[in-house]
């Protein structure tokens, strides 16, 4: 075979991951908090981007040099100066207002699964790159509704309140360390003992225990006698809250029982055999403690009143509330109305007026390239934000269509659903749907749910019936166990029999797995617990 060089022309299609495409993909998987931080960083780096604070009164200001100071003022580019310095240090007055005649869009899901036409419009069409007044604009005058303010349509929501910080209204609470240090100064006047006590306080875990405590090791670090460390520890175990500085669950309960004068020999025997109490083996407990069933019931009742983690009562960290990305409410005419939460939508705009002023004054080639790069980057960011919002709304709308029975009847009617089902329905890739549903929450009439909640595996139906959602099956198992009577506790085999009679083909090991995941004891333990309460 002869070897020769030649030129061939071939045509092929390839996907190129441009920086703009990478940015759009990255924005999809960001939560609302991460997205806000990302936009803030972009605004700091790009002088043409601005936060939209709402309609202003400067809409009639000319773009040319008629503004105060002209192009040579604080907002202009001085001859010989750097354009980047001029942009970053500009002061061009109030931000330009939003475009007039903008419309607000809403998605309305009816029983016939119809959607507003604008939600199906292509994402790469030209649009006004302005977000303001809790709404999006597609540059049209009178387009169909896709987004909008939930409160302006009469919806009951707390998102229309002002931007007050709830955490700032919390009263100051004393910490566990401060609480223990005050008692340490009173009960242990010796400075050496106080030093040992402070070391013990620093060794406490979040429950208030000294897990893995070694008196000899601490004594070696502080240069004192281990007996002195034990003596200080004994004194600290009398501090409030009761049970603090315990080295085990047994010691924690014993300290609290001793405080209540309930640590008699029978109770001590029970603490020495806590594994029997965990197994609810009442006959063995009566034998070990030498008491009857009535005394065991009283002892168990006393233990239930104790706090195994005494330090948690000083945990004053305010709960972080979840801000939903999608707001959903029933439509009075039937179906559902879906909004994107305006509080989670970043409202940014490209200051085209300022861009025009600086462009006219720019003569240097490097400055022109810098300005063009920033202008293109700003436009791509605004377009990516618009595309992200449209994609989230499209995915959420399809999820609601697929899980309509859940929103009407509850978790027992949750359908099995996977990412591929949504991707095929809306014509997107499965990975895109996965990114959209990550760290996104939807507020519904049944509560706030992460979008991932609606995707559950399927359990085959018996005798060719329709498949059932794993989450619905777990809910059914919990409902049956909660309703069982003490004399008729349901075993795993009995649960399997009932579920198969209801058309759910499930194995016994699957029932046991779901029960253990919900932290439900076995039938033997439940029977003992229920009989002890009778």
């Amino acid at each position: 075979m002869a070897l020769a060089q030649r030129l061939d022309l071939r045509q092929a299609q390839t996907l190129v991951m441009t920086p703009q495409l990478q940015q759009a993909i990255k924005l999809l998987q960001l939560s609302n908090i991460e997205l806000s931080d990302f936009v803030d960083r972009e605004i700091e780096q790009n002088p043409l981007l601005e936060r939209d604070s709402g309609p202003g009164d400067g809409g009639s200001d000319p773009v040319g040099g008629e503004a105060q100071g002209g192009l040579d003022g604080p907002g202009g580019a001085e001859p010989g100066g750097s354009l980047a310095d001029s942009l970053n240090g500009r002061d061009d007055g109030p931000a330009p207002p939003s475009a007039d005649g903008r419309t607000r869009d809403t998605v309305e899901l009816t029983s016939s699964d119809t959607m507003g036409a604008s939600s199906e419009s292509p994402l790469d069409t030209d649009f006004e790159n302005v977000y303001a007044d809790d709404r999006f604009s597609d540059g049209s005058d009178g387009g169909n509704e896709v987004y909008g303010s939930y409160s302006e349509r009469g919806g009951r929501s707390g998102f229309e309140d002002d931007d007050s910080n709830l955490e700032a209204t919390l009263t100051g609470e004393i910490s566990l360390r401060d609480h223990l240090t005050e008692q340490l100064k009173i009960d242990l006047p010796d400075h050496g003992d106080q030093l040992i006590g402070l070391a013990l306080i620093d060794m406490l875990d979040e429950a208030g225990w000294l897990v893995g405590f070694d008196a000899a090791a601490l004594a070696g670090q502080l240069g004192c006698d281990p007996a002195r460390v034990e003596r200080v520890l004994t004194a600290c175990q009398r501090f409030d809250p009761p049970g603090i500085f315990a080295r085990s669950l047994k010691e924690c309960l014993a300290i609290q029982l001793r405080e209540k004068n309930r640590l008699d020999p029978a109770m001590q025997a029970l603490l020495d055999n806590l594994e029997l109490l965990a197994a609810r083996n009442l006959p063995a407990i009566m034998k070990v403690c030498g008491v009857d069933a009535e005394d065991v019931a009283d002892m168990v009742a006393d233990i239930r009143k104790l706090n195994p983690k005494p330090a948690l009562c000083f945990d004053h960290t305010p709960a972080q509330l979840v801000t939903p990305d999608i707001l959903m409410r029933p439509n009075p005419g039937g179906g559902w109305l879906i909004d994107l939460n305006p509080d989670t939508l970043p409202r940014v705009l490209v200051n085209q007026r300022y861009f025009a002023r600086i462009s006219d004054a720019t003569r240097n080639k490097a400055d022109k390239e810098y300005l063009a790069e920033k202008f293109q980057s700003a436009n791509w960011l605004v377009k990516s934000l618009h595309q992200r919002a449209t994609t989230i709304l499209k995915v959420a709308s399809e999820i609601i269509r697929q899980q309509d029975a859940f929103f009407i009847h509850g978790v027992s009617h949750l359908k099995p659903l996977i990412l591929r089902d949504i991707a095929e329905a809306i014509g997107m890739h499965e990975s895109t749907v996965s990114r959209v549903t990550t760290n996104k929450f939807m507020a519904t009439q049944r509560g706030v749910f992460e979008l991932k909640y609606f995707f559950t595996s399927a359990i085959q139906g018996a005798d060719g019936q329709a498949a059932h959602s794993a989450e619905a099956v777990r809910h059914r198992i919990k409902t049956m166990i909660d309703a069982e009577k003490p004399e008729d506790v349901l075993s795993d085999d009995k649960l399997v029999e009932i579920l198969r009679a209801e058309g759910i083909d499930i194995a016994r090991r699957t029932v046991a797995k779901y029960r253990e995941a919900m932290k439900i004891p076995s039938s033997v333990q439940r029977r003992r617990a229920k009989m002890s309460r009778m």
Side-chain angles (χ1 to χ4, degrees):
M1 181 177 64
L3 298 177
Q5 292 181 345
R6 63 179 183 178
L7 296 176
D8 289 333
L9 182 62
R10 297 180 180 179
Q11 187 177 18
Q13 290 183 341
T14 59
L15 177 62
V16 180
M17 292 290 290
T18 63
Q20 292 81 9
L21 179 58
Q22 294 177 10
Q23 182 187 70
I25 293 175
K26 179 182 178 181
L27 293 181
L28 271 180
Q29 59 190 8
L30 296 181
S31 65
N32 50 43
I33 297 178
E34 295 170 339
L35 180 64
S36 179
D37 293 339
F38 176 82
V39 170
D40 289 339
R41 290 194 301 269
E42 289 294 319
I43 292 176
E44 291 177 0
Q45 299 172 7
N46 194 334
L48 296 181
L49 278 174
E50 292 184 352
R51 284 281 187 185
D52 185 8
S53 57
D57 55 358
S60 60
D61 289 344
V63 176
E66 297 182 17
Q68 269 192 336
L71 291 177
D72 296 329
E78 297 182 2
S82 169
L83 178 61
D85 296 338
S86 174
L87 288 175
N88 292 325
R90 74 184 189 276
D91 183 13
D92 59 337
S98 308
D100 294 331
R102 290 177 304 168
T103 60
R104 186 185 58 210
D105 291 328
T106 294
V107 164
E108 178 177 341
L109 295 183
T110 62
S111 56
S112 60
D113 280 350
T114 58
M115 180 182 286
S118 63
S119 65
E120 303 297 336
S121 60
L123 301 181
D124 56 352
T125 55
D126 189 20
F127 60 91
E128 184 84 8
N129 52 16
V130 176
Y131 295 177
D133 294 334
D134 299 342
R135 66 195 75 177
F136 288 86
S137 173
D138 57 3
S140 61
D141 295 333
N144 293 331
E145 296 191 311
V146 178
Y147 311 104
S149 173
Y150 182 72
S151 59
E152 291 182 6
R153 279 196 287 295
R156 299 181 62 184
S157 172
F159 301 108
E160 65 269 21
D161 297 334
D162 56 1
D163 296 330
S164 58
N165 185 2
L166 295 179
E167 295 182 2
T169 63
L170 298 178
T171 58
E173 299 287 351
I174 186 172
S175 66
L176 176 64
R177 179 183 174 85
D178 294 338
H179 183 63
L180 296 175
T181 302
E182 291 179 359
Q183 300 176 72
L184 184 67
K185 294 178 180 178
I186 297 174
D187 292 5
L188 298 174
D190 184 81
H191 292 291
D193 292 344
Q194 290 181 7
L195 181 62
I196 297 174
L198 289 174
L200 293 174
I201 292 174
D202 292 335
M203 296 175 64
L204 293 175
D205 64 4
E206 61 181 8
W209 292 8
L210 292 172
V211 179
F213 174 72
D214 188 351
L218 181 59
Q221 295 176 4
L222 301 179
C224 63
D225 186 29
R228 187 177 185 182
V229 174
E230 291 286 354
R231 178 173 56 82
V232 174
L233 174 60
T234 302
C236 291
Q237 289 180 345
R238 294 193 293 266
F239 288 177
D240 181 76
I244 202 74
F245 292 103
R247 287 163 286 190
S248 64
L249 176 61
K250 170 186 172 181
E251 188 174 31
C252 180
L253 300 179
I255 293 172
Q256 298 180 60
L257 291 169
R258 188 182 297 111
E259 183 76 15
K260 297 181 178 182
N261 197 25
R262 285 287 290 121
L263 191 60
D264 52 30
M267 185 66 78
Q268 184 63 56
L270 178 59
L271 296 180
D272 293 336
N273 296 273
L274 287 176
E275 66 278 359
L276 297 178
L277 181 59
R280 303 182 185 276
N281 193 342
L282 299 184
I285 293 176
M286 289 188 293
K287 181 179 180 180
V288 169
C289 298
V291 294
D292 55 17
E294 184 178 355
D295 291 334
V296 170
D298 293 338
M299 294 163 61
V300 172
D302 289 336
I303 290 181
R304 284 176 177 169
K305 297 176 183 178
L306 305 180
N307 185 2
K309 298 181 179 180
L312 295 186
C313 62
F314 284 85
D315 184 10
H316 301 294
T317 303
Q320 298 296 324
L321 301 180
V322 173
T323 302
D325 301 87
I326 304 109
L327 304 177
M328 169 189 169
R329 59 192 173 95
N331 186 0
W336 311 97
L337 292 176
I338 311 168
D339 293 325
L340 289 179
N341 185 0
D343 289 348
T344 64
L345 297 177
R347 287 164 283 183
V348 296
L349 56 83
V350 180
N351 195 338
Q352 301 198 35
R353 174 182 302 172
Y354 185 72
F355 170 73
R357 292 174 57 190
I358 297 301
S359 297
D360 293 339
T362 302
R363 300 292 181 266
N364 186 281
K365 180 180 178 180
D367 291 345
K368 286 182 176 293
E369 292 177 352
Y370 172 83
L371 185 62
E373 177 188 354
K374 293 300 180 182
F375 184 70
Q376 183 183 24
S377 175
N379 280 323
W380 267 106
L381 175 61
V382 174
K383 184 174 182 178
S384 297
L385 292 174
H386 176 84
Q387 188 171 9
R388 174 185 183 271
T390 305
T391 306
I392 291 176
L393 190 64
K394 185 179 295 186
V395 171
S397 301
E398 184 60 31
I399 290 176
I400 294 174
R401 284 196 185 101
Q402 298 273 3
Q403 300 290 3
D404 182 70
F406 164 80
F407 298 107
I408 297 176
H409 303 290
V411 68
S412 59
H413 289 73
L414 192 66
K415 293 171 51 180
L417 187 66
I418 57 177
L419 296 173
R420 189 185 305 113
D421 297 335
I422 301 297
E424 293 176 352
I426 62 178
M428 290 184 176
H429 196 270
E430 188 175 341
S431 62
T432 302
V433 178
S434 177
R435 291 185 178 96
V436 170
T437 55
T438 300
N439 295 324
K440 308 297 188 306
F441 295 85
M442 179 164 59
T444 72
Q445 62 179 0
R446 295 192 176 275
V448 178
F449 299 93
E450 188 179 9
L451 294 184
K452 290 286 188 184
Y453 173 82
F454 300 102
F455 296 91
T456 61
S457 57
I459 295 179
Q460 295 300 322
D463 300 329
Q465 298 184 27
H468 301 268
S469 167
E471 186 66 28
V473 174
R474 280 193 289 266
H475 179 265
R476 177 58 180 150
I477 292 174
K478 187 177 185 304
T479 302
M480 289 190 293
I481 291 177
D482 291 341
E484 65 186 4
K485 298 179 180 180
E487 64 275 6
D488 187 20
V489 176
L490 301 175
S491 64
D492 292 346
D493 291 327
K494 184 63 175 178
L495 292 172
V496 170
E497 182 181 341
I498 296 175
L499 291 174
R500 287 181 177 174
E502 296 177 355
I504 304 174
D505 187 10
I506 190 171
R508 180 187 179 280
R509 61 179 179 273
T510 305
V511 172
K513 181 181 69 173
Y514 288 169
R515 176 179 54 76
E516 293 171 357
M518 294 184 289
K519 300 186 183 302
I520 298 176
S522 65
S523 58
V524 176
Q525 294 174 331
R526 297 200 308 273
R527 181 179 294 105
R528 289 174 178 173
K530 292 177 183 293
M531 295 300 294
S532 64
R533 299 191 189 104
M534 295 180 61

